[in-house]
């Protein structure tokens, strides 16, 4: 029997979506399954461009259906629906990050277009999507990375209301094939933020020079250069401060996708790892008979379940966001930072079990172990997102306000607010609902209660031992605090989703045993920081807790893990 908590192509039936969404999701799974594992791995190893996948997508109208907002739609099935986008992310991650990447950078490339008031550009983008084209996001540069204040893409006015653009962009996915590239630059005749410009370029234009693929992969992560590229008035998407905001708001939309891609990678790898370990005999016993193996695989399983619960609940806040409810601005970097780093831990735990098998070229695991590393490093590093999360800590922990309860959002609605987020500032004014009721609802579960003690201790830390002005410039110390805060938010949304889905309480208890250990480890790390005060050191050691051990509970959770052996294997 398939585990209902994990994606399994054999039993996948997204019945909670509308008929066309169900058809497209299932068709995508069937396309990958029909190609088979040998072809999947061969294309990965030979770095083949994704032409057949993009042909499939164009034929089915996959990108056009999922990535055209209702305001630009050509039919009733087209909308920007974060719930079904997340479902497709998971499928792409399950079969290979190269496929997800072509989709992900298309999403980023579309961000400035769908935020623009340029109707001609919007109509052009919708037409290109209908034709099966991909898109690219020309933001980062070789010398400056994503430091958009320092862009060297220069636009010189041409005297006819347009510009001539010259400069390079670096690390730009789909730069080899994009029908439209959203490019960020600055005018040569205007100083400061008012000089910023976002414009649409075509990778097939003679003034667009593709330099190279900067990675050794099917992902075409390009360097390109524009040489006196003509930018007509109808190509301009944003100017001034609005161009800057469009860049940051696009990343807000795009980086959410990393969490569900990470989940898909881990799910496929877990089927392989458990099946291998359970069927390998060592010293006369299955590998899974050893206690340390059971612990590592069970930890991997509950961490993966936690990743899914958090991400599913974060979708609801994303879809319910508006000018007066910007809680997604915390949960979004949490999915980017916390869920993707959990994915690394899941892969590492399984890799410790299967050891050399994880290097073999005929396994999915070999590519999973490589690709899982990239997700925490895309769309802002872990450190950047942790620093962002910290901006919300005091309001979230100590100053809750009332909000209507957010329901599960899998309805067929268009998430249009994502393209009218407004100025990318004012994070200190974002308020949150009380995190405590989520924990109170599961106070009867021993490890939830134990973790709640640690969460309450963090509130005490913020109130009585928070970093002073000098320590606030010590990012190394602050990041340790950020990890503690992230765990509290992670647990909160897990518990909210557990209630909505009536999650097995054994799994929840085992998961929170892991979170108790994690909190204790980060507290010890804070204790060892050079600039930690004596008061902070005492607090840190006082926050260490031992999880509540229950052998019977652990055995029941292990039975779920053991049942994954043979539950799915991709056809040859």
């Amino acid at each position: 029997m398939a585990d209902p908590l994990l994606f399994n192509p054999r039993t996948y039936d997204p019945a909670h979506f509308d008929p066309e969404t169900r058809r497209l999701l299932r068709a995508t799974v069937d396309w990958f399954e029909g190609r088979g594992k040998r072809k999947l791995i061969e294309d990965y190893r030979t770095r083949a461009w994704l032409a057949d996948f993009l042909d499939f997508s164009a034929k089915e109208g996959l990108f056009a259906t999922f990535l055209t907002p209702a305001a630009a739609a050509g039919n009733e099935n087209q909308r920007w629906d974060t719930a079904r986008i997340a479902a497709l992310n998971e499928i792409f991650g399950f079969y290979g990050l190269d496929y997800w990447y072509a989709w992900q950078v298309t999403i980023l490339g579309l961000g400035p277009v769908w935020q623009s008031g340029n109707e001609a550009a919007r109509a052009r983008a919708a037409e290109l999507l209908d034709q099966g084209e991909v898109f690219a996001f020309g933001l980062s540069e070789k010398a400056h990375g994503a430091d958009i204040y320092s862009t060297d893409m220069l636009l010189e006015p041409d005297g006819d209301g347009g510009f001539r653009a010259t400069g390079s962009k670096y690390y730009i996915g789909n730069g080899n094939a994009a029908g439209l590239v959203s490019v960020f630059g600055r005018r040569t005749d205007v100083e400061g933020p008012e000089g910023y410009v976002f414009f649409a370029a075509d990778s097939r234009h003679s003034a667009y020079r593709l330099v190279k693929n900067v990675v050794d992969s099917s992902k075409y992560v390009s360097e390109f250069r524009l040489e006196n590229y003509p930018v007509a008035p109808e190509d301009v998407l944003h100017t001034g401060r609005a161009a800057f905001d469009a860049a940051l708001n696009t990343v807000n939309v795009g980086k959410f996708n990393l969490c569900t891609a990470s989940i898909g990678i881990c799910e496929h790898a877990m089927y392989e790892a458990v099946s291998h370990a359970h069927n390998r005999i060592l010293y006369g016993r299955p590998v899974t008979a050893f206690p340390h193996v059971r612990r590592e695989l069970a930890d991997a399983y509950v961490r993966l379940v936690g990743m899914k619960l958090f991400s599913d609940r974060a979708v609801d806040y994303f879809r319910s966001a508006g000018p007066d409810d910007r809680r997604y601005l915390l949960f979004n970097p949490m999915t980017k930072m916390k869920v993707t780093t959990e994915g690394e831990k899941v892969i590492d735990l399984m890799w410790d079990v299967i050891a050399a098998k994880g290097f073999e070229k005929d396994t999915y695991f070999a590519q999973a172990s490589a690709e899982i590393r990239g997700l925490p490093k895309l769309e802002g590093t872990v450190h950047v997102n942790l620093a962002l999360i910290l901006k919300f800590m005091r309001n979230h922990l100590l100053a809750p306000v009332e909000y209507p309860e957010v329901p599960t959002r899998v309805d067929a609605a268009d998430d249009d607010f994502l393209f009218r987020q407004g100025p990318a500032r004012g994070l200190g004014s974002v308020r949150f609902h009380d995190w405590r009721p989520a924990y109170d609802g599961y106070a009867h579960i021993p490890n939830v209660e134990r973790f709640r003690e640690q969460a309450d201790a963090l509130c005490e830390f913020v109130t009585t031992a928070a970093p002073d002005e000098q320590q606030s410039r010590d990012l190394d110390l602050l990041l340790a605090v950020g990890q503690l805060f992230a765990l509290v938010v992670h647990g909160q949304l897990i518990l909210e989703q557990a209630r909505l889905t009536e999650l097995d309480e054994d799994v929840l208890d085992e998961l929170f045993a892991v979170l108790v250990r994690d909190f204790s480890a980060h507290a010890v790390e804070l204790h060892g920081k050079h600039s930690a005060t004596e008061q902070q050191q005492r607090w840190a050691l006082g926050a260490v807790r031992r999880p509540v051990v229950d052998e019977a509970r652990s055995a029941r959770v292990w039975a779920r893990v053991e049942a994954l052996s043979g539950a799915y294997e991709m056809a040859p």
Side-chain angles (χ1 to χ4, degrees):
M1 181 177 176
D3 189 317
L5 299 179
L6 302 187
F7 169 74
N8 186 331
R10 291 180 179 175
T11 58
Y12 183 59
D13 179 18
H16 51 289
F17 288 121
D18 63 276
E20 180 62 5
T21 298
R22 291 202 302 272
R23 186 192 73 78
L24 285 169
L25 292 173
R26 189 64 242 185
T28 303
V29 171
D30 292 342
W31 183 82
F32 280 111
E33 290 293 320
R35 291 175 86 241
K37 188 174 184 179
R38 187 176 297 113
K39 178 64 172 168
L40 191 82
I41 293 172
E42 178 188 347
D43 284 355
Y44 179 77
R45 291 178 55 230
T46 60
R47 308 164 194 86
W49 175 239
L50 312 172
D52 58 346
F53 165 66
L54 296 177
D55 286 345
F56 158 78
S57 170
K59 178 176 177 247
E60 295 289 347
L62 183 63
F63 285 21
T65 301
F66 278 48
L67 301 183
T68 307
N75 66 65
E76 62 182 6
N77 293 309
Q78 292 181 339
R79 64 182 184 274
W80 196 283
D81 176 337
T82 304
R84 67 179 186 175
I85 286 172
L88 194 54
N89 286 329
E90 185 176 3
I91 292 170
F92 287 155
F94 189 91
Y95 290 107
L97 204 65
D98 291 346
Y99 307 98
W100 171 85
Y101 186 74
W103 148 270
Q104 163 69 356
V105 291
T106 292
I107 287 173
L108 292 171
L110 285 164
V113 180
W114 297 143
Q115 292 177 67
S116 175
N118 183 332
E119 291 301 328
R122 290 165 60 88
R124 181 176 157 210
E127 182 180 2
L128 289 169
L129 277 170
D130 284 337
Q131 294 169 3
E133 297 281 358
V134 293
F135 291 66
F137 187 52
L139 186 67
S140 65
E141 299 177 10
K142 189 171 186 178
H144 308 297
D147 176 10
I148 56 181
Y149 295 100
S150 305
T151 178
D152 287 332
M153 177 63 71
L154 302 180
L155 287 85
E156 184 175 348
D158 63 6
D160 294 320
F163 304 93
R164 291 281 172 166
T166 299
S168 296
K169 292 292 180 179
Y170 194 82
Y171 229 76
I172 311 303
N174 290 352
N176 62 317
L180 187 153
V181 185
S182 298
V183 183
F184 185 85
R186 60 184 172 89
R187 298 173 57 156
T188 58
D189 61 329
V190 177
E191 293 294 325
E194 291 308 310
Y196 294 137
V197 179
F198 240 125
F199 63 96
D202 184 346
S203 69
R204 298 169 181 86
H205 194 283
S206 59
Y208 180 107
R209 185 167 67 87
L210 185 65
V211 179
K212 62 180 177 180
N213 187 355
V214 304
V215 299
D216 188 18
S217 169
S218 295
K219 305 177 196 67
Y220 206 103
V221 187
S222 70
E223 177 184 5
F224 71 79
R225 180 168 181 81
L226 302 185
E227 294 282 1
N228 210 29
Y229 185 99
V231 180
E234 58 266 26
D235 296 326
V236 175
L237 303 172
H238 302 273
T239 60
R241 177 75 195 194
F244 181 89
D245 290 337
L248 296 185
N249 290 336
T250 293
V251 173
N252 277 345
V253 173
K255 72 183 178 184
F256 183 80
N257 300 312
L258 280 73
C259 64
T260 34
S262 180
I263 288 165
I265 291 173
C266 291
E267 287 171 319
H268 197 156
M270 178 158 279
Y271 288 121
E272 273 196 349
V274 175
S275 295
H276 170 71
H278 193 57
N279 290 283
R280 179 171 171 78
I281 304 301
L282 195 62
Y283 306 118
R285 293 189 292 170
V287 167
T288 50
F290 294 93
H292 68 288
V293 167
R294 292 191 173 197
R295 181 193 60 78
E296 288 177 317
L297 291 179
D299 280 6
Y301 173 78
V302 295
R303 284 187 187 276
L304 176 53
V305 170
M307 291 164 65
K308 294 199 73 168
L309 293 167
F310 183 92
S311 300
D312 286 348
R313 186 58 175 153
V315 164
D316 301 335
Y317 288 100
F318 230 68
R319 302 197 71 196
S320 301
D324 300 320
D325 183 356
R326 298 199 296 160
R327 287 175 285 178
Y328 76 101
L329 290 174
L330 167 60
F331 303 140
N332 190 25
M334 278 288 302
T335 59
K336 159 64 188 76
M337 181 282 297
K338 185 63 181 173
V339 176
T340 61
T341 54
E342 284 291 287
E344 287 190 289
K345 292 175 185 175
V346 168
I347 293 294
D348 285 343
L349 285 163
M350 293 188 293
W351 206 352
D352 281 346
V353 170
I354 66 172
K357 185 71 176 179
F359 294 100
E360 292 185 11
K361 66 181 183 181
D362 61 349
T363 65
Y364 175 84
F365 198 98
Q367 71 182 71
S369 61
E371 300 294 351
I372 201 72
R373 307 296 171 204
L375 291 165
K377 300 166 184 64
L378 297 175
E379 328 312 354
T381 64
V382 169
H383 308 100
V384 166
N385 281 278
L386 260 177
L388 176 58
I389 286 164
L390 277 167
K391 295 179 183 294
F392 303 103
M393 182 168 68
R394 184 171 288 273
N395 273 356
H396 181 276
L397 291 178
L398 303 179
V401 296
E402 291 289 330
Y403 278 102
E405 185 167 347
V406 170
T408 298
R409 293 292 310 277
V410 291
D411 49 305
D414 189 69
D415 301 339
D416 62 316
F417 174 72
L418 299 180
F419 302 110
R420 50 180 181 85
Q421 294 178 57
R425 55 180 182 266
L427 301 185
S429 65
V430 177
R431 304 294 292 276
F432 301 89
H433 62 295
D434 195 343
W435 56 273
R436 295 169 183 82
Y439 286 87
D440 293 343
Y442 284 99
H444 60 284
I445 294 181
N447 282 304
V448 174
E449 181 184 27
R450 187 65 49 90
F451 186 82
R452 170 63 186 274
E453 294 173 13
Q454 295 176 307
D456 286 337
L458 183 61
C459 294
E460 178 191 348
F461 174 87
V462 173
T463 304
T464 64
D468 59 24
E469 184 177 349
Q470 182 175 350
Q471 287 179 313
S472 294
R473 294 190 290 272
D474 181 354
L475 189 57
D476 188 42
L477 178 100
L478 292 180
L479 292 178
V481 177
Q483 291 284 8
L484 295 167
F485 173 52
L487 279 166
V488 176
V489 181
H490 190 55
Q492 175 195 349
L493 262 61
I494 285 171
L495 292 170
E496 290 184 11
Q497 188 66 8
R499 179 178 62 82
L500 291 168
T501 58
E502 299 181 342
L503 180 72
D504 183 315
E505 292 191 354
D506 284 337
V507 174
L508 196 60
D509 201 6
E510 198 79 2
L511 169 56
F512 270 82
V514 170
L515 299 187
V516 169
R517 295 203 312 261
D518 286 352
F519 195 100
S520 298
H522 287 303
V524 171
E525 182 186 2
L526 176 62
H527 174 269
K529 293 299 180 185
H530 289 180
S531 63
T533 65
E534 288 188 14
Q535 183 183 14
Q536 290 166 344
Q537 292 172 48
R538 286 194 301 272
W539 175 88
L541 294 184
V544 172
R545 294 289 187 278
R546 172 183 165 82
V548 178
V549 176
D550 183 334
E551 296 291 349
R553 175 200 72 218
S554 296
R556 291 190 295 270
V557 172
W558 168 249
R560 297 180 70 114
V561 180
E562 191 174 35
L564 297 176
S565 176
Y568 168 78
E569 183 175 357
M570 192 172 183

